[in-house]
Amino acid sequence: MSRTTYTFTRRLVSIASLVVQAHAFWRLPCASPVVVERADPILDPGVVSKHAHTIMGSNAFNFTMDYALTQTATCSSCKVVQDLSSYWVPNLYYHAENGTFIPVKQSGGALIYYLQRTDEKDPNPSEGLIAFPKDFRMVAGNPTNRNDSGSLEQRAVSFACLGIDGPATPELPKQNCANGLRTQLTFPSCWDGSNLDSPDHKSHMAYPSGVDTGFCPQSHPHRFITVFMEVTWNVDDFKDQWYGDEQPFIFSNGDPTGYGYHGDFVNGWDIPTLQTAINECTDDSGVVERCSAFQFRADADMAACKVLPRVSEAVSGVLPALPGCNPVQPGPEPAVTQSGCGAPTEIGDPVLPFTDATKAGWGFVACAKDPAGQSRTLDGSSADQKDMSVDACMRMCGDGGFKYAGVEYSTQCFCGNDVAEDRMPKNGTIGECDMPCAGNAGQLCGGAAQVAVYQKCGSGDCKNAVLG
């Protein structure tokens, strides 16, 4: 259990300013996951975690983390430059009638609300809201829960079926959500004032009396800004594949109910900047760009920020079982942790997002931008075919005498003799060249407006670019 002698910057907050701040907030967009894998540096530090997560935030994310590590990040999938935090939740799968599992795509990454909520009945109302300290972390929700307990923690979980009239529900909706399923999670905001974590990763924190409103208990007298996290899932992709009497979606922890939904947060904020924003950014529109305390990342840089996975295990495609040892456990009794199913347990070397073709005389250069409506990044010969692979593209470009070969959007091949510098990834990003090749699902063939570029090289001097 970590402890801190955190020194509070006490400030007198008038009742009038508390009223203004009670409705202030900003929305932090996170463009996409930096990685999806079985990693959880809070609940399972230093080992492969029990179930898969979709992880948003900085590229410093790792199997163990502290504040110093967060500050080594070179990019983040979230908008504010001064935020190098990590946020993660279990990912969602469609459970097919034949027993297989197919990942449900996220609509972007996440939208994270920072809500400036206080109450005059708080134990220390004059202190106001304080920024998260170094090495602070917290967990919301209970991954083993499978029933509606009615607790404050359980009330912090809800699901909005977009495109359907009606309130959010405490469990996964029982009808298709035409505009997406939005999972919603409120983190606790009342702190005991000394512990940065706790043995159960929860006891150092508590919810205020109204979950996201109301007052903090005397045992947790200090109040952080409230973190509320939304992730939207494209469940409508499976609208014609429902069967039986139950909804067909399940979280990666084997939860078909939604009662076991949960989330984790590791603080990586520049703390003085966050405190300034809490004090001064009192706009009630939620538009983060109206906060002058922040600087902002370009959308393309956010989307291109990635962490290379290190667990050699499929988390996408059609899967015979959920990643890890996670059988479906509908409850209502708590889920039981499983093991011994043969799932990988070792953290390995990074899984590279390209084909090693150095023995064939080609080295990977980069996942380069290829923006729609502009000249091609590789402007020589091209092909679009259903049996495209990295090898096929290299053969075509090599036979044509070109220096570079590039694969894109699963089916496309482009050749050229130079790559403009402004198309190369910048600011520590890797790019999104993660679409399987149409002709070889074991290879990756670029992405949408992202071309995976390889360079022809001589024997003995062929090398791949170093990523991460």
Side-chain angles (χ1 to χ4, degrees), residues 46 112 130 155 208 233 246 294 305 334 347 369 424 428 435-436 460:
I112 300 169
I130 57 175
R155 287 165 53 194
W233 308 88
E246 302 293 332
F294 298 147
C305 187
I347 301 170
K369 301 172 185 176
M424 296 292 282
M435 298 180 71

Side-chain angles (χ1 to χ4, degrees), residues 421-436:
E421 182 62 28
D422 64 355
R423 300 292 176 88
M424 296 292 282
K426 293 181 173 61
N427 302 323
T429 62
I430 292 176
E432 291 185 284
C433 291
D434 55 5
M435 298 180 71

Side-chain angles (χ1 to χ4, degrees), residues 90-261:
N91 51 320
L92 187 68
Y93 288 86
Y94 167 75
H95 190 191
E97 191 170 10
N98 66 3
T100 59
F101 299 85
I102 303 171
V104 181
K105 293 180 181 178
Q106 290 172 240
S107 179
L111 192 59
I112 300 169
Y113 290 66
Y114 276 76
L115 309 172
Q116 291 151 280
R117 296 183 176 174
T118 57
D119 193 286
E120 61 184 13
K121 295 181 180 179
D122 280 337
N124 291 312
S126 64
E127 180 181 76
L129 297 176
I130 57 175
F132 305 117
K134 292 181 180 180
D135 290 320
F136 175 79
R137 58 202 56 209
M138 61 178 167
V139 173
N142 181 352
T144 65
N145 191 45
R146 294 295 185 271
N147 64 76
D148 188 357
S149 66
S151 65
L152 290 174
E153 179 181 55
Q154 193 62 44
R155 287 165 53 194
V157 175
S158 63
F159 303 92
C161 190
L162 305 181
I164 299 294
D165 291 336
T169 58
E171 70 284 321
L172 285 169
K174 294 177 173 57
Q175 67 276 334
N176 181 53
C177 305
N179 297 333
L181 167 65
R182 188 171 68 209
T183 54
Q184 305 176 151
L185 182 66
T186 303
F187 284 81
S189 57
C190 304
W191 182 40
D192 67 9
S194 59
N195 293 294
L196 302 171
D197 197 359
S198 47
D200 63 358
H201 310 292
K202 294 181 180 182
S203 298
H204 62 305
M205 295 294 293
Y207 282 96
S209 58
V211 180
D212 61 347
T213 59
F215 55 90
C216 289
Q218 290 293 332
S219 58
H220 294 72
H222 308 288
R223 191 147 185 173
F224 293 134
I225 192 167
T226 298
V227 176
F228 174 74
M229 185 173 179
E230 294 180 343
V231 179
T232 301
W233 308 88
N234 296 332
V235 294
D236 194 55
D237 292 349
F238 300 90
K239 64 182 177 182
D240 298 324
Q241 300 178 55
W242 284 53
Y243 59 92
D245 299 326
E246 302 293 332
Q247 63 83 27
F249 299 103
I250 184 168
F251 286 108
S252 58
N253 55 328
D255 176 22
T257 68
Y259 295 128
Y261 189 67

Side-chain angles (χ1 to χ4, degrees), residues 333-367:
E333 64 278 356
V336 178
T337 299
Q338 307 288 313
S339 62
C341 68
T345 59
E346 294 186 0
I347 301 170
D349 293 330
V351 179
L352 300 175
F354 58 82
T355 298
D356 183 2
T358 52
K359 292 182 179 179
W362 293 85
F364 178 74
V365 176
C367 177

Side-chain angles (χ1 to χ4, degrees), residues 82 110 303:
Q82 292 89 347

Side-chain angles (χ1 to χ4, degrees), residues 399-419:
D399 291 346
F402 291 99
K403 182 178 179 180
Y404 294 103
V407 283
E408 184 170 346
Y409 207 66
S410 293
T411 62
Q412 299 171 356
C413 173
F414 298 94
C415 310
N417 288 314
D418 59 73
V419 181

